[in-house]
């Protein structure tokens, strides 16, 4: 039995149903690897994934080759000698046929137009990739080659495959010599390309539908091109059109004006952010002045401020305020400042001290850490946060700060 008789897809890529006999079964835990005398199932090879389907209604979850033989992995046992009816998932296979034939066309166009070789090919779940033997590619070159590839699709050239012997092989000018020395199969796109290939292809290039490159990335001295063909190309185009429609509607602009509109929005956002920063800076300064004005001045001259900030703030706001308070009076007079504010689910605490008898970090450790707080600092400044809960409020934290301060520093 020649290899062509056993692998029915070689002669007919559209054979979704076939019959055969089980000739070998190998148990592998709860799986069985089954070999048939003839099969239309394509095994994972040459960049094309395996078919799925059923053998006598038992799902086929994997198809692979071992020493040239095709094994079908099933989840229920079949017995040697059993007659089987096989069904191939035609939708999955047609997808692979579109992608695989699209790859032959695209690779050949890169050879013809740019003298660039394809050195890798893989059909993935989403994209198909080829690795091109070139350092870099411009996107305009990609588009130029892509255009020619689609012309080949529109020309609807017949695609056919045949086995050749070494003498016949000599008549083909193949860019890549076949990887096998016997059962050499040539897939031809009429008048355009001959390629040694064991994969499945549609009967004419028109069935590829469309070829669309979606990404080109440089890696390890090569360029990896991701593309989609046929149904995948339409699905990709629909998805992207839908995104563009939504973005266009949200921005009240057409596709052609989209880039300019987004650039303007970005510029506006940068300027708005700058204004927000300026306003926050001014607010922090005003708050610092306010705190300074309301400080309790003790007999020893130490200024004490314990204050709860309004609204929701973030750590950057608190740090900004700390810097302003320091500038405003902590650096001028001995002072102990405790500021508390809500930031989402936490209470932020910032402590500043320029009073000789108050160590900010110790103050933090004695008053905030027992409430479940995390953070710390040094003699001059300490900051951190406490999880906000029904047991711990802003007032609780302020009270703790006050009592610790007076207990530890009775002279204050
Ligand atoms: Zn191929």
């Amino acid at each position: 039995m020649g290899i062509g008789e056993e692998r029915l897809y070689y002669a007919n890529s559209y054979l979704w149903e076939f019959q055969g006999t089980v000739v070998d079964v190998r148990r592998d835990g709860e799986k069985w690897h089954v070999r048939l005398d003839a099969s239309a199932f394509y095994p994972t090879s040459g960049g094309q994934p395996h078919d799925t389907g059923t053998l006598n209604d038992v799902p086929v979850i994997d198809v692979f080759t071992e020493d040239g033989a095709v094994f079908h992995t099933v989840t229920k046992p079949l017995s040697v000698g059993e007659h089987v009816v096989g069904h191939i998932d035609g939708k999955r296979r047609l997808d692979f046929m579109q992608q695989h034939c699209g790859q032959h066309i695209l690779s050949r166009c890169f050879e013809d137009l740019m003298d660039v070789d394809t050195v890798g090919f893989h059909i993935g779940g989403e994209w198909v990739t080829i690795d091109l033997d070139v350092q870099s590619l411009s996107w305009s070159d990609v588009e130029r080659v892509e255009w020619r590839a689609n012309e080949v699709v529109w020309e609807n050239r017949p695609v056919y495959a045949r086995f050749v012997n070494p003498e016949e092989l000599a008549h083909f000018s193949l860019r890549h010599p076949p990887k096998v020395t016997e059962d050499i199969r040539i897939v031809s796109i009429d008048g355009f390309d001959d390629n040694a290939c064991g994969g499945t292809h549609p009967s004419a290039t028109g069935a590829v539908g469309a070829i669309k490159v979606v990404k080109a990335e440089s890696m390890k001295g090569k360029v990896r091109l991701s593309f989609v063909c046929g149904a995948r190309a339409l699905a990709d185009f629909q998805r992207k059109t839908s995104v563009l429609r939504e973005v266009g509607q949200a921005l009240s602009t057409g596709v052609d004006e989209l880039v300019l509109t987004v650039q303007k929005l970005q510029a506006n956002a940068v300027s708005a952010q700058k204004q927000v920063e300026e306003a926050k800076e001014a607010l922090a300064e005003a708050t610092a002045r306010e705190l300074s004005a309301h400080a309790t001045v003790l007999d020893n001259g130490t200024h004490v401020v314990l204050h709860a900030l309004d609204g929701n703030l973030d750590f950057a706001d608190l740090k900004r305020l700390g810097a302003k308070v320091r500038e405003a009076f902590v650096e001028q007079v001995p002072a102990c400042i405790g500021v508390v504010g809500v930031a989402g689910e936490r209470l932020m605490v910032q402590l500043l001290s320029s009073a000789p008898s108050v160590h900010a970090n110790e103050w933090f450790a004695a008053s905030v850490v027992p409430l479940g707080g995390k953070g710390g600092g040094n003699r001059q400044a300490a900051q951190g946060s406490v999880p906000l809960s029904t047991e711990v409020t802003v007032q609780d934290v302020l009270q703790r700060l006050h009592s610790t301060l007076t207990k530890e520093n009775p002279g204050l």
Side-chain angles (χ1 to χ4, degrees):
M1 182 177 61
I3 192 167
E5 292 165 65
E6 190 192 13
R7 301 192 188 187
L8 303 173
Y9 60 83
Y10 277 151
N12 182 0
S13 293
Y14 295 86
L15 188 64
W16 307 146
E17 187 183 325
F18 68 95
Q19 302 195 16
T21 304
V22 176
V23 295
D24 191 8
V25 178
R26 296 179 189 174
R27 184 166 183 168
D28 176 10
E30 289 309 298
K31 293 183 295 190
W32 289 264
H33 306 305
V34 176
R35 192 180 173 195
L36 307 175
D37 63 340
S39 176
F41 275 90
Y42 185 82
T44 299
S45 50
Q48 182 179 331
H50 65 85
D51 289 332
T52 57
T54 56
L55 287 178
N56 282 356
D57 295 328
V58 178
V60 173
I61 57 169
D62 190 17
V63 188
F64 62 93
T65 57
E66 196 181 288
D67 298 330
V70 178
F71 284 91
H72 310 70
T73 305
V74 290
T75 50
K76 281 185 196 164
L78 295 170
S79 1
V80 171
E82 193 175 338
H83 178 79
V84 292
V85 177
H87 284 102
I88 309 277
D89 178 346
K91 196 165 169 254
R92 176 178 159 98
R93 165 73 81 69
L94 277 174
D95 169 49
F96 295 153
M97 284 158 63
Q98 286 183 316
Q99 312 312 318
H100 198 151
C101 193
Q103 179 265 317
H104 278 217
I105 297 170
L106 193 59
S107 289
R108 179 62 194 230
C109 288
F110 271 104
E111 291 164 14
D112 286 353
L113 273 64
M114 300 192 68
D115 197 28
V116 165
D117 243 1
T118 295
V119 292
F121 160 54
H122 176 70
I123 299 179
E126 190 176 8
W127 311 126
V128 185
T129 58
I130 49 173
D131 293 334
L132 294 168
D133 195 10
V134 65
Q135 290 281 336
S136 64
L137 271 182
S138 72
W139 193 249
S140 64
D141 276 338
V142 169
E143 287 187 334
R144 184 165 62 92
V145 176
E146 175 186 75
W147 195 271
R148 175 62 195 132
N150 279 279
E151 283 176 347
V152 175
V153 173
W154 307 330
E155 287 158 8
N156 200 25
R157 292 170 183 264
V159 180
Y160 43 87
R162 61 209 181 284
F163 285 91
V164 295
N165 59 39
E167 293 81 58
E168 291 167 317
L169 183 67
H171 294 108
F172 292 93
S173 57
L174 299 180
R175 185 138 172 145
H176 300 278
K179 289 181 182 137
V180 288
T181 49
E182 49 185 24
D183 297 318
I184 296 160
R185 184 172 181 256
I186 303 292
V187 171
S188 299
I189 296 173
D190 200 46
F192 174 70
D193 181 51
D194 300 307
N195 213 320
C197 172
T200 54
H201 292 264
S203 52
T205 57
V208 174
I211 301 171
K212 186 73 198 83
V213 178
V214 292
K215 196 164 59 173
E217 51 197 331
S218 296
M219 48 169 65
K220 296 175 192 160
K222 309 266 187 288
V223 171
R224 175 161 292 179
L225 224 58
S226 299
F227 64 98
V228 277
C229 303
R232 292 192 193 199
L234 179 60
D236 186 62
F237 194 31
Q238 285 185 336
R239 186 171 61 84
K240 284 172 180 165
T241 303
S242 167
V243 168
L244 283 177
R245 271 169 55 85
E246 271 183 48
V247 173
Q249 278 164 6
L251 300 179
S252 304
T253 188
V255 169
D256 293 332
E257 294 81 43
L258 214 48
V259 172
L260 201 62
T261 307
V262 169
Q263 283 170 346
K264 277 184 193 163
L265 280 175
Q266 280 176 326
N268 288 348
V270 168
S271 129
Q273 186 59 37
K274 202 166 157 249
Q275 285 176 15
V276 168
E277 290 298 314
E278 283 166 6
K280 282 186 167 185
E281 198 78 2
L283 181 65
E285 263 172 35
T287 309
R289 277 198 303 274
E290 177 92 1
L291 295 182
S292 162
H294 291 91
T296 305
V297 184
L298 305 177
D299 290 347
N300 65 0
T302 302
H303 288 55
V304 177
V305 176
L306 294 174
H307 183 75
L309 292 163
D310 291 333
N312 216 324
L313 71 159
D314 59 29
F315 202 70
D317 296 335
L318 202 65
K319 269 186 87 171
R320 191 195 319 265
L321 179 62
K324 296 296 175 194
V325 168
R326 204 175 285 140
E327 265 172 41
F329 64 110
V330 177
E331 284 168 3
Q332 328 294 335
V333 292
C336 300
I337 315 295
V339 182
V340 184
V342 178
E345 300 291 298
R346 300 185 78 82
L347 282 173
M348 309 288 274
V349 182
Q350 172 136 47
L351 307 181
L352 300 169
S353 173
S354 57
S357 58
V358 179
H359 188 292
N361 190 41
E362 286 170 10
W363 187 20
F364 186 91
S367 49
V368 184
V369 173
L371 295 173
K374 286 202 166 68
N378 52 32
R379 167 168 274 283
Q380 286 82 29
Q383 58 274 312
S385 67
V386 187
L388 196 56
S389 69
T390 45
E391 283 100 66
V392 183
T393 64
V394 173
Q395 286 312 316
D396 292 334
V397 177
L398 285 176
Q399 234 158 43
R400 273 307 281 236
L401 290 175
H402 182 261
S403 63
T404 313
L405 198 61
T406 46
K407 192 167 76 189
E408 302 282 324
N409 300 278
L412 283 178

